Each structure stands twice: as C-alpha cells, then as structure tokens.
mmCIF file of all heavy atoms in Angstrom:
data_model
loop_
_atom_site.group_PDB
_atom_site.id
_atom_site.type_symbol
_atom_site.label_atom_id
_atom_site.label_comp_id
_atom_site.label_asym_id
_atom_site.label_seq_id
_atom_site.Cartn_x
_atom_site.Cartn_y
_atom_site.Cartn_z
ATOM 1 N N LYS W 1 -13.111 133.543 -51.320
ATOM 2 C CA LYS W 1 -13.392 134.877 -50.822
ATOM 3 C C LYS W 1 -13.220 135.935 -51.910
ATOM 4 O O LYS W 1 -13.797 137.021 -51.828
ATOM 5 C CB LYS W 1 -12.495 135.202 -49.632
ATOM 6 C CG LYS W 1 -12.753 134.322 -48.412
ATOM 7 C CD LYS W 1 -11.795 134.668 -47.279
ATOM 8 C CE LYS W 1 -12.045 133.779 -46.064
ATOM 9 N NZ LYS W 1 -11.082 134.073 -44.957
ATOM 10 N N ILE W 2 -12.397 135.629 -52.916
ATOM 11 C CA ILE W 2 -12.187 136.536 -54.040
ATOM 12 C C ILE W 2 -13.270 136.378 -55.085
ATOM 13 O O ILE W 2 -13.682 137.333 -55.726
ATOM 14 C CB ILE W 2 -10.801 136.286 -54.659
ATOM 15 C CG1 ILE W 2 -9.709 136.673 -53.675
ATOM 16 C CG2 ILE W 2 -10.627 137.076 -55.952
ATOM 17 C CD1 ILE W 2 -8.307 136.335 -54.150
ATOM 18 N N GLY W 3 -13.782 135.183 -55.285
ATOM 19 C CA GLY W 3 -14.798 134.921 -56.290
ATOM 20 C C GLY W 3 -14.839 133.496 -56.781
ATOM 21 O O GLY W 3 -15.842 133.027 -57.311
ATOM 22 N N MET W 4 -13.733 132.733 -56.587
ATOM 23 C CA MET W 4 -13.670 131.342 -57.004
ATOM 24 C C MET W 4 -12.341 130.754 -56.563
ATOM 25 O O MET W 4 -11.308 131.428 -56.604
ATOM 26 C CB MET W 4 -13.795 131.218 -58.531
ATOM 27 C CG MET W 4 -13.466 129.844 -59.104
ATOM 28 S SD MET W 4 -13.468 129.799 -60.906
ATOM 29 C CE MET W 4 -15.210 129.751 -61.218
ATOM 30 N N ASP W 5 -12.374 129.502 -56.132
ATOM 31 C CA ASP W 5 -11.144 128.762 -55.862
ATOM 32 C C ASP W 5 -11.095 127.597 -56.833
ATOM 33 O O ASP W 5 -11.556 126.495 -56.542
ATOM 34 C CB ASP W 5 -11.089 128.264 -54.416
ATOM 35 C CG ASP W 5 -9.775 127.558 -54.092
ATOM 36 O OD1 ASP W 5 -8.903 127.459 -54.993
ATOM 37 O OD2 ASP W 5 -9.607 127.100 -52.947
ATOM 38 N N ALA W 6 -10.518 127.839 -58.011
ATOM 39 C CA ALA W 6 -10.474 126.821 -59.052
ATOM 40 C C ALA W 6 -9.526 125.689 -58.717
ATOM 41 O O ALA W 6 -9.598 124.616 -59.331
ATOM 42 C CB ALA W 6 -10.077 127.461 -60.380
ATOM 43 N N SER W 7 -8.628 125.902 -57.751
ATOM 44 C CA SER W 7 -7.654 124.869 -57.390
ATOM 45 C C SER W 7 -8.247 123.789 -56.497
ATOM 46 O O SER W 7 -7.634 122.740 -56.306
ATOM 47 C CB SER W 7 -6.451 125.511 -56.688
ATOM 48 O OG SER W 7 -6.837 126.081 -55.432
ATOM 49 N N SER W 8 -9.440 124.019 -55.968
ATOM 50 C CA SER W 8 -10.040 123.101 -55.003
ATOM 51 C C SER W 8 -11.121 122.235 -55.653
ATOM 52 O O SER W 8 -12.103 122.756 -56.196
ATOM 53 C CB SER W 8 -10.658 123.885 -53.841
ATOM 54 O OG SER W 8 -11.440 123.043 -53.016
ATOM 55 N N ASN W 9 -10.958 120.923 -55.575
ATOM 56 C CA ASN W 9 -11.983 120.009 -56.068
ATOM 57 C C ASN W 9 -13.249 120.085 -55.229
ATOM 58 O O ASN W 9 -14.338 119.784 -55.705
ATOM 59 C CB ASN W 9 -11.455 118.574 -56.079
ATOM 60 C CG ASN W 9 -10.371 118.355 -57.114
ATOM 61 O OD1 ASN W 9 -10.309 119.052 -58.123
ATOM 62 N ND2 ASN W 9 -9.493 117.381 -56.860
ATOM 63 N N ASP W 10 -13.092 120.447 -53.964
ATOM 64 C CA ASP W 10 -14.241 120.507 -53.062
ATOM 65 C C ASP W 10 -15.108 121.742 -53.293
ATOM 66 O O ASP W 10 -16.335 121.651 -53.282
ATOM 67 C CB ASP W 10 -13.773 120.483 -51.603
ATOM 68 C CG ASP W 10 -13.102 119.176 -51.226
ATOM 69 O OD1 ASP W 10 -13.483 118.127 -51.794
ATOM 70 O OD2 ASP W 10 -12.185 119.202 -50.369
ATOM 71 N N SER W 11 -14.485 122.896 -53.511
ATOM 72 C CA SER W 11 -15.253 124.131 -53.625
ATOM 73 C C SER W 11 -15.503 124.568 -55.061
ATOM 74 O O SER W 11 -16.224 125.534 -55.302
ATOM 75 C CB SER W 11 -14.560 125.269 -52.868
ATOM 76 O OG SER W 11 -13.300 125.545 -53.419
ATOM 77 N N CYS W 12 -14.927 123.881 -56.037
ATOM 78 C CA CYS W 12 -15.136 124.227 -57.448
ATOM 79 C C CYS W 12 -15.366 122.950 -58.246
ATOM 80 O O CYS W 12 -14.498 122.081 -58.321
ATOM 81 C CB CYS W 12 -13.944 124.997 -58.007
ATOM 82 S SG CYS W 12 -14.127 125.488 -59.745
ATOM 83 N N GLN W 13 -16.529 122.838 -58.858
ATOM 84 C CA GLN W 13 -16.870 121.692 -59.677
ATOM 85 C C GLN W 13 -16.672 122.022 -61.153
ATOM 86 O O GLN W 13 -16.987 123.137 -61.595
ATOM 87 C CB GLN W 13 -18.330 121.271 -59.435
ATOM 88 C CG GLN W 13 -18.674 121.015 -57.974
ATOM 89 C CD GLN W 13 -17.846 119.912 -57.373
ATOM 90 O OE1 GLN W 13 -17.691 118.836 -57.975
ATOM 91 N NE2 GLN W 13 -17.277 120.160 -56.197
ATOM 92 N N VAL W 14 -16.141 121.083 -61.916
ATOM 93 C CA VAL W 14 -15.974 121.245 -63.356
ATOM 94 C C VAL W 14 -16.826 120.203 -64.064
ATOM 95 O O VAL W 14 -16.661 118.995 -63.839
ATOM 96 C CB VAL W 14 -14.506 121.100 -63.785
ATOM 97 C CG1 VAL W 14 -14.384 121.257 -65.305
ATOM 98 C CG2 VAL W 14 -13.626 122.136 -63.078
ATOM 99 N N HIS W 15 -17.737 120.646 -64.916
ATOM 100 C CA HIS W 15 -18.598 119.760 -65.689
ATOM 101 C C HIS W 15 -18.209 119.856 -67.163
ATOM 102 O O HIS W 15 -18.199 120.950 -67.734
ATOM 103 C CB HIS W 15 -20.070 120.140 -65.512
ATOM 104 C CG HIS W 15 -20.552 119.999 -64.106
ATOM 105 N ND1 HIS W 15 -21.184 118.887 -63.649
ATOM 106 C CD2 HIS W 15 -20.474 120.834 -63.047
ATOM 107 C CE1 HIS W 15 -21.494 119.036 -62.366
ATOM 108 N NE2 HIS W 15 -21.074 120.216 -61.976
ATOM 109 N N THR W 16 -17.905 118.717 -67.769
ATOM 110 C CA THR W 16 -17.432 118.684 -69.148
ATOM 111 C C THR W 16 -18.459 118.014 -70.047
ATOM 112 O O THR W 16 -18.883 116.874 -69.788
ATOM 113 C CB THR W 16 -16.096 117.937 -69.249
ATOM 114 O OG1 THR W 16 -15.123 118.580 -68.406
ATOM 115 C CG2 THR W 16 -15.585 117.932 -70.672
ATOM 116 N N HIS W 17 -18.860 118.712 -71.100
ATOM 117 C CA HIS W 17 -19.810 118.200 -72.077
ATOM 118 C C HIS W 17 -19.265 118.514 -73.472
ATOM 119 O O HIS W 17 -19.700 119.458 -74.139
ATOM 120 C CB HIS W 17 -21.194 118.843 -71.878
ATOM 121 C CG HIS W 17 -21.729 118.710 -70.488
ATOM 122 N ND1 HIS W 17 -22.414 117.597 -70.049
ATOM 123 C CD2 HIS W 17 -21.643 119.544 -69.423
ATOM 124 C CE1 HIS W 17 -22.739 117.756 -68.778
ATOM 125 N NE2 HIS W 17 -22.300 118.923 -68.367
ATOM 126 N N ILE W 18 -18.296 117.730 -73.905
ATOM 127 C CA ILE W 18 -17.619 117.951 -75.177
ATOM 128 C C ILE W 18 -17.763 116.716 -76.051
ATOM 129 O O ILE W 18 -17.399 115.611 -75.643
ATOM 130 C CB ILE W 18 -16.138 118.303 -74.959
ATOM 131 C CG1 ILE W 18 -16.028 119.651 -74.227
ATOM 132 C CG2 ILE W 18 -15.398 118.365 -76.299
ATOM 133 C CD1 ILE W 18 -14.604 120.054 -73.877
ATOM 134 N N THR W 19 -18.293 116.884 -77.246
ATOM 135 C CA THR W 19 -18.460 115.809 -78.210
ATOM 136 C C THR W 19 -17.560 116.068 -79.416
ATOM 137 O O THR W 19 -16.771 117.013 -79.436
ATOM 138 C CB THR W 19 -19.923 115.704 -78.659
ATOM 139 O OG1 THR W 19 -20.313 116.942 -79.296
ATOM 140 C CG2 THR W 19 -20.844 115.475 -77.461
ATOM 141 N N THR W 20 -17.670 115.230 -80.467
ATOM 142 C CA THR W 20 -16.908 115.434 -81.689
ATOM 143 C C THR W 20 -17.667 116.351 -82.640
ATOM 144 O O THR W 20 -18.884 116.537 -82.515
ATOM 145 C CB THR W 20 -16.615 114.098 -82.381
ATOM 146 O OG1 THR W 20 -17.859 113.435 -82.667
ATOM 147 C CG2 THR W 20 -15.761 113.212 -81.494
ATOM 148 N N GLN W 21 -16.929 116.943 -83.586
ATOM 149 C CA GLN W 21 -17.539 117.835 -84.557
ATOM 150 C C GLN W 21 -18.519 117.072 -85.447
ATOM 151 O O GLN W 21 -18.270 115.943 -85.853
ATOM 152 C CB GLN W 21 -16.471 118.490 -85.442
ATOM 153 C CG GLN W 21 -17.007 119.526 -86.421
ATOM 154 C CD GLN W 21 -15.917 120.115 -87.287
ATOM 155 O OE1 GLN W 21 -15.242 119.415 -88.040
ATOM 156 N NE2 GLN W 21 -15.727 121.435 -87.191
ATOM 157 N N SER W 22 -19.640 117.701 -85.756
ATOM 158 C CA SER W 22 -20.639 117.110 -86.636
ATOM 159 C C SER W 22 -20.036 116.771 -87.998
ATOM 160 O O SER W 22 -19.292 117.563 -88.581
ATOM 161 C CB SER W 22 -21.806 118.079 -86.828
ATOM 162 O OG SER W 22 -22.597 117.718 -87.941
ATOM 163 N N GLN W 23 -20.363 115.579 -88.534
ATOM 164 C CA GLN W 23 -19.851 115.181 -89.842
ATOM 165 C C GLN W 23 -20.357 116.093 -90.948
ATOM 166 O O GLN W 23 -19.719 116.252 -91.988
ATOM 167 C CB GLN W 23 -20.238 113.737 -90.132
ATOM 168 C CG GLN W 23 -21.753 113.498 -90.235
ATOM 169 C CD GLN W 23 -22.096 112.078 -90.593
ATOM 170 O OE1 GLN W 23 -21.267 111.304 -90.936
ATOM 171 N NE2 GLN W 23 -23.334 111.714 -90.544
ATOM 172 N N PHE W 24 -21.498 116.709 -90.730
ATOM 173 C CA PHE W 24 -22.068 117.588 -91.745
ATOM 174 C C PHE W 24 -21.316 118.919 -91.819
ATOM 175 O O PHE W 24 -21.365 119.604 -92.831
ATOM 176 C CB PHE W 24 -23.549 117.821 -91.461
ATOM 177 C CG PHE W 24 -24.348 116.554 -91.435
ATOM 178 C CD1 PHE W 24 -24.820 116.035 -90.243
ATOM 179 C CD2 PHE W 24 -24.600 115.862 -92.608
ATOM 180 C CE1 PHE W 24 -25.540 114.849 -90.216
ATOM 181 C CE2 PHE W 24 -25.322 114.667 -92.588
ATOM 182 C CZ PHE W 24 -25.780 114.163 -91.398
ATOM 183 N N ILE W 25 -20.626 119.279 -90.744
ATOM 184 C CA ILE W 25 -19.744 120.437 -90.773
ATOM 185 C C ILE W 25 -18.373 120.044 -91.304
ATOM 186 O O ILE W 25 -17.824 120.695 -92.197
ATOM 187 C CB ILE W 25 -19.613 121.076 -89.371
ATOM 188 C CG1 ILE W 25 -20.964 121.625 -88.912
ATOM 189 C CG2 ILE W 25 -18.552 122.175 -89.371
ATOM 190 C CD1 ILE W 25 -20.939 122.172 -87.490
ATOM 191 N N SER W 26 -17.825 118.951 -90.782
ATOM 192 C CA SER W 26 -16.466 118.549 -91.147
ATOM 193 C C SER W 26 -16.335 118.256 -92.628
ATOM 194 O O SER W 26 -15.285 118.518 -93.227
ATOM 195 C CB SER W 26 -16.033 117.330 -90.326
ATOM 196 O OG SER W 26 -16.856 116.207 -90.581
ATOM 197 N N GLN W 27 -17.370 117.717 -93.271
ATOM 198 C CA GLN W 27 -17.260 117.398 -94.692
ATOM 199 C C GLN W 27 -17.124 118.650 -95.553
ATOM 200 O O GLN W 27 -16.655 118.589 -96.687
ATOM 201 C CB GLN W 27 -18.483 116.592 -95.150
ATOM 202 C CG GLN W 27 -19.799 117.345 -95.135
ATOM 203 C CD GLN W 27 -20.988 116.453 -95.471
ATOM 204 O OE1 GLN W 27 -20.845 115.230 -95.571
ATOM 205 N NE2 GLN W 27 -22.169 117.031 -95.643
ATOM 206 N N GLY W 28 -17.516 119.808 -95.001
ATOM 207 C CA GLY W 28 -17.395 121.053 -95.747
ATOM 208 C C GLY W 28 -16.111 121.805 -95.517
ATOM 209 O O GLY W 28 -15.774 122.714 -96.274
ATOM 210 N N VAL W 29 -15.375 121.457 -94.441
ATOM 211 C CA VAL W 29 -14.168 122.216 -94.111
ATOM 212 C C VAL W 29 -12.895 121.405 -94.272
ATOM 213 O O VAL W 29 -11.802 121.913 -94.030
ATOM 214 C CB VAL W 29 -14.246 122.785 -92.679
ATOM 215 C CG1 VAL W 29 -15.404 123.740 -92.548
ATOM 216 C CG2 VAL W 29 -14.367 121.664 -91.648
ATOM 217 N N ASP W 30 -13.020 120.138 -94.672
ATOM 218 C CA ASP W 30 -11.839 119.337 -94.963
ATOM 219 C C ASP W 30 -11.460 119.524 -96.426
ATOM 220 O O ASP W 30 -12.306 119.674 -97.289
ATOM 221 C CB ASP W 30 -12.103 117.857 -94.671
ATOM 222 C CG ASP W 30 -12.283 117.583 -93.185
ATOM 223 O OD1 ASP W 30 -11.712 118.328 -92.363
ATOM 224 O OD2 ASP W 30 -13.014 116.628 -92.847
#
C-alpha cells in the first residue's frame, strides 16, 4: 500500500543477473 513490500516473496520478485568482471577490464586494473 506504501509502494512495495520487499519482505514478501509473494508480492515482490527479485531477479538477479550478475556475472563476473570482463577479463579485458580486469587485466587493466590489477
């Protein structure tokens, strides 16, 4: 009723799309 119920698995879905850092970036910052 406020704008989101993040505590509820039923009324709030979380989608995760996280990969590893690109090797072409990491080779320049290590």
Side-chain angles (χ1 to χ4, degrees):
K1 295 178 181 178
I2 294 174
M4 168 186 282
D5 183 0
S7 65
S8 170
N9 291 334
D10 295 329
S11 63
C12 181
Q13 306 300 313
V14 179
H15 297 265
T16 302
H17 306 275
I18 295 176
T19 61
T20 58
Q21 185 181 61
S22 164
Q23 63 177 350
F24 301 107
I25 296 175
S26 62
Q27 67 185 8
V29 298
D30 292 332

